[in-house]
Amino acid sequence: MCVEGDLPDAAVTCRRCGTVGVAVSEAVAGARIEAAASRGEDLKREDFLCRCGGAAFRPARPEDAPVGAALYAVVADRPARAVTPARLGLTIRERASIGW
């Protein structure tokens, strides 16, 4: 849950719909699916995808999720903080143009 705009380091925002989730790897999602199956629960790979079907994410900003928002796990190709404007060498103007 989001508290006072404080998001986990792995928080990501879907570029299509703006929903915030917590990035997990395929391995983590698979382990959770197996654990759920052992308890008789029906958890599928689709439960770890963005509800809109979007597959592109960006690191989440505190203003992306209101206080009290529930965050769900979503499979992301890389950790949320792996790609940053500074690492890409973007200028401030370029960052603003892509909403970063």
Side-chain angles (χ1 to χ4, degrees), residues 63-89:
E63 62 270 16
D64 289 343
V67 173
L71 305 178
Y72 64 95
V74 61
V75 172
D77 290 339
R78 53 183 161 253
R81 304 292 182 214
V83 177
T84 64
R87 289 187 183 163
L88 292 174

Side-chain angles (χ1 to χ4, degrees), residues 5 7 9 11 20 28 32 34 43 45 49 55-56 63 82 90 94:
L7 294 172
D9 288 339
V20 178
V28 168
R32 289 184 183 179
E34 287 179 23
L43 191 62
R45 169 72 167 78
L49 302 176
E63 62 270 16
L90 299 176
E94 290 169 328

Side-chain angles (χ1 to χ4, degrees), residues 16-41:
R16 181 187 286 178
C17 70
T19 300
V20 178
V22 178
V24 297
S25 67
E26 287 279 355
V28 168
R32 289 184 183 179
I33 291 168
E34 287 179 23
S38 70
R39 294 187 305 268
E41 298 173 11

